Amino acid sequence: MIRNPILPGFNPDPSICRVGEDYYIATSTFEWYPGVQIHHSRDLVNWRLVRRPLERKAQLDMRGNPDSCGIWAPCLSHADGQFWLVYTDVKRYDGNFKDAHNYIVTAPSIAADWSDPVYVNSSGFDPSLFHDDDGRKWFVNMQWNHRTESYGGSPKSPAFDGILLQEWDPATKRLVGPIRNIFAGSPLGLVEGPHLFKRNGWYYLTTAEGGTGYDHAVTMARSRSIAGPYEMHPAMHLITSKDHPEAVLQRAGHGQYVETPEGEAYHTHLCGRPLAPQRRCTLGRETALQKCVWRDDWLYLADGGTVPSVEVPAPTDAARQDPPERIDYRFDQPVLPEDFQWLRTPEPERIFSLTEQPGVLRLHGRESIGSWFEQALVARRQEDHRFRAETVLAFQPDTYQQVAGLTHYYNRHKFHALVVTLHERLGRVVTIFSCPGDFPHGRMSFPVESGEAVPDGALELAADIRDNDLQFFWRAKGEEAWRPIGPVLDAGVISDEGGRGEHGSFTGAFIGMLAFDTSGRAKPADFARFVYQRLD
């Protein structure tokens, strides 16, 4: 059986591609670097991260990109003996405008170095490339209309001004021919996330609608001509939980169709798993996969209706391989463990090193936590509602402007951090910085005020997250007992819905290590290990 979500934690906007017996899913990474996650499977049951292809400055530089901008909705395809990856780099989110630039990169294999990007257009986001059976290629994306009141926290339907289609010429690497608006969407509105495919002489268009919150949906339409007109699916929406608040998988929408070699039909979609009582999705938007069937040249969920299922039949009898309960990361290799990413910058050598001090991850204190430019924060996704994280920190600050520690992080106005710094009266201290959703100002609170004085030497820091609750701990290295510090904090605010609320942001929670030095002296902080452990 396939158990959903197949990609837990922040893995939204799944684009799926099959090449022979191999399946690949590309997902959005927003402001996290390197850009785009690609997972691989041979059975649709078990998935493994194999590549983040946008990994150098020529391909991607997100310094200055606001929170929840950066890489939106990649589309992965295979044609002409190579892989094609289409993506948007969004440079502005708030207000009437979305400065959204669309690019194409290619590679002979997933593992190869991907090409420098070719610029395509900026008329809207969520681009997709369709390879027709006559050899022609078609580029689609939603069109953004800035002339309406379409602010980030409350999107208005008229801003989502239909799906544009134009031919892509790979020889000249540019769009050619007329621009056509082929689909205005359903009455649900907010049409985006287009994907085209062809079957039995029909062109099928699936789109995401309703916004990426609780009204989200996959909408389907078809036409005998790629340019339309497109008729709507008899049920209008192929996948949605919008009218079923009891469903386990909420926010269901934005996905892509795929067939097995035997012709079995599946469709990916993003989803969220809200926690009671406030229905906040602390794991962000995750990737799920649904079994489908064809009737009268229309696609339907195999289980009937439109509500996605947690368990669906797999094309093989492959057994699900659960991830380890505990991962003890060591920093004894010259590259980061693959689960970790950092924020925005294509120059990671300025924020961390794995070779300056053997056996540790050294972070160079740069700009403050929440900076949109050069922030030394290295973290991995939260993949469980209940987990514990631990790290060992060697750090000797000589001013309160130098700070390092462990953080549960979403963005500049949603984070908690257990940090080591210097206090002019207490000396070296461990304390808590918290920003529990203060939008737009990002003002911090200090739950233990100046903090607790700590002895010299390395310190161990820990965080227990149990659903909506977070408790920090610390101990001197070598001590047996952990010391709780501060009150139980609101872990649920580290979510899409926290703070600004639904549609205000849409990435996911990370847990990791940070350092900053606002004196500008780049004080180093050394982290000897990092533990991520699922809790019952």
Side-chain angles (χ1 to χ4, degrees), residues 57-79:
K57 187 176 180 179
Q59 295 171 318
L60 182 64
D61 188 345
M62 297 185 291
R63 287 174 289 192
N65 284 21
D67 294 326
S68 288
C69 289
I71 300 301
W72 287 18
C75 174
L76 181 66
S77 59
H78 186 269

Side-chain angles (χ1 to χ4, degrees), residues 337-464:
E338 65 177 11
D339 290 338
F340 288 87
Q341 287 180 274
W342 61 93
L343 287 162
R344 293 182 176 85
T345 179
E347 298 178 349
E349 66 277 5
R350 283 186 50 79
I351 63 171
F352 69 83
S353 172
L354 289 151
T355 58
E356 286 182 21
Q357 184 71 17
V360 304
L361 170 64
R362 170 164 286 183
L363 296 187
H364 296 283
R366 295 297 181 188
E367 294 177 336
S368 58
I369 185 170
S371 166
W372 288 349
F373 290 87
E374 193 172 60
Q375 182 181 171
L377 193 158
V378 173
R380 57 150 290 163
R381 282 159 177 72
Q382 176 183 342
E383 295 180 346
D384 303 276
H385 287 123
R386 299 184 176 188
F387 73 98
R388 179 181 175 89
E390 300 175 6
T391 192
V392 179
L393 170 63
F395 181 60
Q396 197 62 44
D398 51 47
T399 170
Y400 64 82
Q401 292 182 311
Q402 296 169 345
V403 176
L406 175 68
T407 184
H408 189 212
Y409 186 88
Y410 186 101
N411 62 21
R412 72 188 309 170
H413 66 276
K414 292 187 279 192
F415 64 83
H416 304 298
L418 177 63
V419 299
V420 176
T421 187
L422 190 73
H423 187 268
E424 54 269 33
R425 179 173 51 84
L426 299 174
R428 195 173 71 139
V429 297
V430 61
T431 189
I432 295 174
F433 292 171
S434 179
C435 188
D438 182 49
F439 179 84
H441 303 294
R443 288 170 294 210
M444 290 197 305
S445 61
F446 304 91
V448 291
E449 298 182 347
S450 299
E452 300 177 11
V454 294
D456 292 337
L459 299 175
E460 295 186 70
L461 310 177
D464 274 10

Side-chain angles (χ1 to χ4, degrees), residues 289-349:
L289 183 65
Q290 300 299 321
K291 182 76 168 66
C292 298
V293 294
W294 286 97
R295 295 198 303 269
D296 301 322
D297 284 325
W298 284 112
L299 193 64
Y300 295 87
L301 292 184
D303 288 344
T306 63
V307 179
S309 300
V310 173
E311 289 191 339
V312 298
T316 70
D317 58 359
R320 177 184 169 94
Q321 299 170 6
D322 291 324
E325 289 189 6
R326 176 186 171 100
I327 305 176
D328 196 335
Y329 298 98
R330 302 290 175 167
F331 303 115
D332 53 2
Q333 300 296 318
V335 295
L336 275 176
E338 65 177 11
D339 290 338
F340 288 87
Q341 287 180 274
W342 61 93
L343 287 162
R344 293 182 176 85
T345 179
E347 298 178 349
E349 66 277 5

